[in-house]
Amino acid sequence: MELSTNKLPVHVSIIMDGNGRWAQERGKERVYGHLNGVESVRAVTEECVNLGIKYLSFYAFSEENWGRSEEEVGYLMKLMLESIGKEFEVFMKNGVRFVVLGNRERLNPTLNAAIDNVMEGTSHNTALTFILFISYSGKWDIMHALKKVVEEAVSSPEGLEKARNMKLEDFDDYLVTAGIPDPDLIIRTSGEQRLSNYLLWQGAYSEFYFTDVLWPDFRKEEFRAALAEYAGRDRRYGKVK
Ligand code: FPP
């Protein structure tokens, strides 16, 4: 499929869904779906590097996902730890900057140390910024930002003045995504059509692409189909063209 490169999104964000169902369809444990889901992450990342897309992010683990069974949560943490370690070299070779955003206080020290190591090591790479949202939720992000604003406001008269004069775009600087452009395109797999507490503030003008394909089956061709549909969208941001 031919893609017009001048209509590519700057930031694509993906809600990976359907891993459990994919595994169950094959008579396997849910975790088998997550394992194969990592291959889809790799395929889409490679394609972003090839196409020159600058930001790619994934909703890897929501704040709500902590409510899953201890076994599944433990497996996902282990899978993330292993995948991050394995991909380090590949990130370096391809100029990928690795970033994790979310409520890092809830992650175990081993995973946090591995994340810090790969984030530091890849911090100067510029081809693609690859973001994993881990222990993230949109409401948490907004509340966390608000608390920072309040802290500043009560700590000095200048902080209070700054809070009083705050513009909508200034609030972006307090969110975990500070400095990262809002997602142009949000993809969700597996037929579910909702945001599930994902980038609530940042997704205000995102285009949505929903597909019935389950995440472990979402590879290069499916990704290119999403990009082709995005290229045909007319983004008006509430204005009349
Ligand atoms: C949704 O499927 C998937 C998740 C909640 C976890 C996805 C995380 C990964 C694949 C790990 C990625 C990590 C790296 C480092 C690349 P589901 O379990 O909700 O599926 P279901 O809706 O069919 O139950």
Side-chain angles (χ1 to χ4, degrees):
M1 191 186 301
E2 273 308 305
L3 278 174
S4 81
T5 42
N6 61 343
K7 283 196 171 165
L8 285 173
V10 173
H11 180 177
V12 182
S13 197
I14 303 185
I15 303 175
M16 309 178 269
D17 203 358
N19 291 351
R21 276 164 285 168
W22 186 89
Q24 274 153 5
E25 277 175 8
R26 286 159 181 77
K28 305 263 193 187
E29 297 291 323
R30 296 175 52 79
V31 294
Y32 182 67
H34 298 317
L35 185 65
N36 282 275
V38 174
E39 293 310 313
S40 298
V41 173
R42 189 170 292 126
V44 170
T45 307
E46 270 173 25
E47 199 55 6
C48 284
V49 171
N50 291 341
L51 292 167
I53 289 174
K54 301 303 284 182
Y55 294 84
L56 172 65
S57 57
F58 294 95
Y59 202 6
F61 193 88
S62 70
E63 279 280 78
E64 290 78 11
N65 286 153
W66 288 110
R68 292 194 177 191
S69 74
E70 211 177 299
E71 187 200 356
E72 187 169 346
V73 170
Y75 180 86
L76 281 168
M77 294 298 147
K78 189 166 100 28
L79 184 62
M80 288 191 279
L81 179 67
E82 285 173 4
S83 308
I84 291 166
K86 264 195 224 155
E87 297 309 314
F88 195 175
E89 237 176 84
V90 184
F91 287 156
M92 292 311 289
K93 203 155 68 190
N94 292 289
V96 177
R97 174 167 73 119
F98 174 77
V99 175
V100 168
L101 301 175
N103 191 357
R104 297 259 320 258
E105 285 172 19
R106 295 190 75 177
L107 306 184
N108 69 61
T110 315
L111 180 57
N112 266 327
I115 290 169
D116 284 339
N117 184 39
V118 181
M119 279 180 66
E120 255 173 64
T122 63
S123 62
H124 298 295
N125 292 343
T126 56
L128 168 72
T129 298
F130 172 100
I131 304 157
L132 283 184
F133 285 91
I134 305 179
S135 195
Y136 178 86
S137 87
K139 286 189 180 182
W140 168 82
D141 193 4
I142 293 166
M143 177 67 93
H144 182 249
L146 179 66
K147 286 182 179 172
K148 284 198 263 179
V149 173
V150 171
E151 283 296 327
E152 276 186 17
V154 297
S155 64
S156 71
E158 295 78 41
L160 180 60
E161 212 37 38
K162 194 177 160 200
R164 280 206 169 115
N165 296 325
M166 184 170 284
K167 306 254 187 318
L168 281 173
E169 58 272 22
D170 299 328
F171 193 67
D172 293 347
D173 297 338
Y174 293 85
L175 295 163
V176 292
T177 47
I180 293 166
D182 288 341
D184 301 292
L185 171 64
I186 296 179
I187 297 172
R188 184 168 190 157
T189 57
S190 89
E192 310 291 353
Q193 303 195 357
R194 56 179 172 268
L195 203 45
S196 296
N197 207 354
Y198 194 38
L199 300 166
L200 298 180
W201 180 278
Q202 300 88 336
Y205 278 101
S206 302
E207 294 292 327
F208 286 90
Y209 178 85
F210 298 110
T211 170
D212 287 339
V213 174
L214 305 177
W215 178 248
D217 286 331
F218 190 94
R219 299 284 162 98
K220 193 173 147 181
E221 280 311 305
E222 288 74 22
F223 184 51
R224 287 177 83 90
L227 295 176
E229 178 159 329
Y230 172 83
R233 299 271 178 94
D234 183 18
R235 300 186 77 191
R236 291 191 296 275
Y237 302 94
K239 301 185 180 82
V240 178
K241 263 193 185 162

